[in-house]
Amino acid sequence: MKRPAGLIISMAPLLLVLVLCIPTTVLGGHDYGQALSKSILFFEAQRSGYLPKNQRVPWRANSGLNDGKASGVDLVGGYYDAGDNVKFGLPMAFTVTMMSWSILEYGRQMAKSGELGHAMEAVKWGTDYFIKAHPHPYVLYGEVGDGNTDHYCWQRPEDMTTDRRAYRIDPSNPGSDLAGETAAAMAAASLVFRRYDPAYSAELLRHAQQLFEFADKYRGKYDSSITVAQKYYRSVSGYNDELLWAAAWLYQATNNQYYLEYLGKNGDSLGGTEWAMTEFGWDVKYAGVQTLVSKILMQGRAGHYAPVFERYQQKAEYFMCSCLGRGTRNVQRTPGGLLFRQRWNNLQFVTSASFLMTVYSDYLASSKRNLHCSSGAVAPSALLSFAKSQVDYILGDNPRATSYMVGYGANYPRQVHHRASSIVSFKVNPTFVSCRGGYATWFSRKASDPNLLTGAIVGGPDAYDNFADQRNNYEQTEPATYNNAPLFGVLARLSGGHGGYNQLLPVELPALKPIVSRPNPVPAITSPVAVEQKLTSSWNSNGRTYYRYSTIVTNKSDKTLKNLWLSISKLYGPVWGLTKSGDSYTFPSWLHSLPARKSLEFVYIHSSSQAAVSISTYTLE
C-alpha cells in the first residue's frame, strides 16, 4: 500500500520520532514461542513465485510466474511487501537484513523452539530472489510491478492482471540506497548460511561485495531512477546511511579491514557519528548502523578507529535513551505506553526499535556496563524490560485488549487489508477474480477474511490507542514484512529465558533440526523418475569460483520413459546433454526415450550452488 514520505531528519538538535514504554518484569504471561512460530509463518503467505512442497500456508498458490520475462531476466520469487502484489526491493532487502540479524543474535533460541530452519528458509526465499535480481555486478532489479496499477485492482496474487514491468538500477540510473541495503542483506545472510551451506554463503558474499562497490561508486537515490517507487517507498533519508549499513555488515561477514576503515573514515561525512535518531526502519538505518558499530567497539575490534566508533556509540545510546524516556528529547508514547511515531503503520517502528533495544541490552550486559542517559546511568535490564513491554502491548496487553498479531490470542484483526487473505483461496474457488470485481465482491465485504493471515503484524493503533478493524482502514489493518522481521529476534530472546547470553562472542549457530512440514506427515510416494545431482569439480578464474554439476535422471520403472520435460531454475550457465525448448528441457536430439532401469546424464557449469531441477511431465509406455 502507499507509504507516506513524511520523514524529517535533523543533526545533533535531533528530530525523527518513534516510541516505546511501560517497564515490566522480564517474564510474562505470553507464549513467546508460539508468537515466534506464527511471526515466521506469515512470510510463507507473502511468497511470490513457485511455492515449494513444504509450503505451510495452504490457501496460497503459485503467482508472478512471468516476472522479469519481458526484460529477459528471471525475477520469479521473492516477497510481496504488504497487502498488495508489488515486489519492492528496498523494504524487501531491509526485511531480509533484519531476519538475518535476528538469527545471528538469537539463532540458538530459535533452534530450541524448533524454528531456526523455518527462519532460515524465510531468509533464503529472499536471497534466492536477490541473486536473480543481480544478474551483473552493476545491475540490480529493484521493483516488479507498479503500485499505481496494482492499487487500482483488488485481486489475489494468483489472478494478477496488473502490469508486472521490472525496474532496475545501473551506472546510468544509480540507486545507492537500494544497492547498499541489498548488499547488507546478502552479507548478513552469508553469515547465517556459513556453517550450513558454505558455497551458498560464498555466493551471497560475492554479490554483497559487488553491490557495495556499485552503491559506493555510482552514487544516487534509487527513487530518482525507479521513479514509480516514490509514492510508496521514497528514500527520504538518502543513501548515506545504507552505505554505512552495508559496510558494517560486510565487515562482520569478511573481517576485511577495508570495511572497518570505511566506517572509520566516513563516519562523519556520511552522518553515522552526527545523526541523533529516534526512529529506525526500512528508510532510516542510522540507529541500526550505530548499534552495530557499537557492537564492534565493545568487541574490541575497532582498532585505532575506536575514538570515531565511540561517537557512533554516543548516538546509539541517544536512540536508546530517547525510547526509554530518559533522554533530552524523548519519543512520544500513547496513553497505553506504546511508542508512537505516525498513524500509518506505526508498529513497524515499534518492532524495529524493540529489536535494537533488545540486542543493545545484551551487548551492554556482555561488556558489563550500563547505558548512559542524560538523566543518569540505566541498567541493561531496563532496555530489555522496555522492549518486552512493547511486544506485550502488541500481543494484547493494551487498553483494547487486542492482539495486533493476526491469529495470536482471542481478539485480533479479522478484516486485514490484504488482497490474498481477503479473497477466497484459489484452491477453494479458482473462478477468476477481476481487477475491479475484487473491490466490489471482496474488499467491500463486512465480514472476516476467508483466509487467516497467521502471524501478520498489522499497522496498529493510533496515538490514543484506538483501532478500527476494517479492511478499508489500511493505515491500521495492513500488515508488512518489515513489521515482522525485527520481531523474530525479540520473540526468540524472550522465549529463551535468561541464561547464557554473551552477544559479543563470535557467531556460532547450532545444528539444524529436521523441519516437519506437516502436523501429520504422509507416507512418501516413490516417483518412477529420479533426479540426483552432485558436484564433480570446481576451479577459480578471474577471482570467481566455478562449479561443474552432474545430474542423473533415472527411469526406475519397468516401462519406457517418453515425453520427458524438465524444469531447471537458478541456472546461470550452459547445459550439455539436453535440448532446450522455451523455458523447459527435454531429451537430447539423439535420444527419444529412456528404457526401463536406465539413466541419462547431463551437466552444467555456473558460479553458484546447484540449480533446482524438477520433473515437469513424462509418460510411461
Side-chain angles (χ1 to χ4, degrees), residues 226-554:
I226 304 178
T227 57
V228 292
Q230 289 181 1
K231 189 177 178 181
Y232 304 94
Y233 289 101
R234 183 183 173 199
S235 180
V236 179
S237 71
Y239 53 77
N240 289 346
D241 50 341
E242 278 86 6
L243 292 176
L244 294 172
W245 180 238
W249 278 112
L250 278 162
Y251 179 63
Q252 295 283 59
T254 65
N255 204 32
N256 187 324
Q257 292 298 299
Y258 171 80
Y259 300 110
L260 186 74
E261 292 176 2
Y262 191 96
L263 292 166
K265 293 179 178 178
N266 295 286
D268 294 342
S269 63
L270 296 181
T273 61
E274 300 297 319
W275 291 109
M277 312 303 294
T278 55
E279 76 167 76
F280 172 57
W282 62 262
D283 183 20
V284 188
K285 314 292 164 46
Y286 281 115
V289 173
Q290 291 153 356
T291 301
L292 201 55
V293 170
S294 296
K295 180 179 184 180
I296 296 170
L297 177 67
M298 287 187 269
Q299 287 174 319
R301 301 166 62 202
H304 66 275
Y305 291 109
V308 180
F309 282 23
E310 287 171 0
R311 298 204 299 276
Y312 277 97
Q313 186 177 35
Q314 290 169 5
K315 295 302 187 289
E317 300 209 343
Y318 177 88
F319 174 84
M320 307 299 165
C321 296
S322 296
C323 291
L324 283 176
R326 301 289 296 271
T328 56
R329 189 180 188 92
N330 297 319
V331 182
Q332 180 184 350
R333 300 179 187 176
T334 69
L338 184 73
L339 290 175
F340 189 83
R341 183 196 178 274
Q342 65 182 36
R343 66 181 189 179
W344 194 320
N345 191 14
N346 181 64
L347 288 186
Q348 64 177 303
F349 302 109
V350 178
T351 60
S352 294
S354 296
F355 178 84
L356 291 188
M357 298 181 80
T358 298
V359 295
Y360 201 74
S361 170
D362 284 334
Y363 297 164
L364 290 174
S366 300
S367 61
K368 296 180 170 56
R369 62 180 296 269
N370 291 325
L371 173 68
H372 297 289
C373 297
S374 60
S375 61
V378 178
S381 59
L383 281 167
L384 184 59
S385 292
F386 187 72
K388 176 184 176 298
S389 76
Q390 299 302 291
V391 174
D392 288 348
Y393 184 109
I394 291 171
L395 296 181
D397 292 357
N398 55 64
R400 297 186 78 258
T402 295
S403 167
Y404 295 107
M405 174 184 283
V406 177
Y408 180 90
N411 182 26
Y412 53 81
R414 309 284 175 157
Q415 294 188 35
V416 183
H417 185 91
H418 188 274
R419 286 158 175 76
S421 66
S422 69
I423 302 174
V424 65
S425 170
F426 180 84
K427 295 180 180 180
V428 174
N429 183 354
T431 303
F432 175 71
V433 176
S434 67
C435 169
R436 301 303 291 175
Y439 272 110
T441 304
W442 296 101
F443 178 79
S444 59
R445 286 175 75 241
K446 304 301 181 185
S448 298
D449 295 334
N451 309 307
L452 188 64
L453 194 63
T454 302
I457 301 296
V458 298
D462 65 14
Y464 304 98
D465 301 300
N466 297 316
F467 177 81
D469 184 15
Q470 298 168 354
R471 194 168 295 112
N472 63 357
N473 180 19
Y474 48 80
E475 293 184 347
Q476 295 188 325
T477 64
E478 185 173 20
T481 54
Y482 43 87
N483 295 7
N484 278 60
L487 204 57
F488 276 26
V490 188
L491 290 170
R493 174 65 172 86
L494 293 175
S495 69
H498 298 292
Y501 290 88
N502 189 336
Q503 302 307 109
L504 301 183
L505 294 177
V507 173
E508 282 189 28
L509 292 174
L512 283 174
K513 295 180 181 179
I515 295 176
V516 179
S517 58
R518 298 181 182 88
N520 300 300
V522 297
I525 299 174
T526 303
S527 171
V529 184
V531 178
E532 181 181 0
Q533 295 202 70
K534 61 182 178 180
L535 176 66
T536 57
S537 64
S538 64
W539 62 93
N540 292 314
S541 176
N542 296 324
R544 178 177 294 187
T545 302
Y546 291 88
Y547 305 93
R548 180 186 186 274
Y549 295 94
S550 168
T551 305
I552 307 294
V553 179
T554 303

Side-chain angles (χ1 to χ4, degrees), residues 114-136:
E115 292 298 332
L116 178 58
H118 291 134
M120 291 177 62
E121 284 185 343
V123 170
K124 193 171 186 294
W125 195 267
T127 52
D128 283 351
Y129 173 77
F130 293 147
I131 290 172
K132 293 180 177 184
H134 183 225
H136 303 289

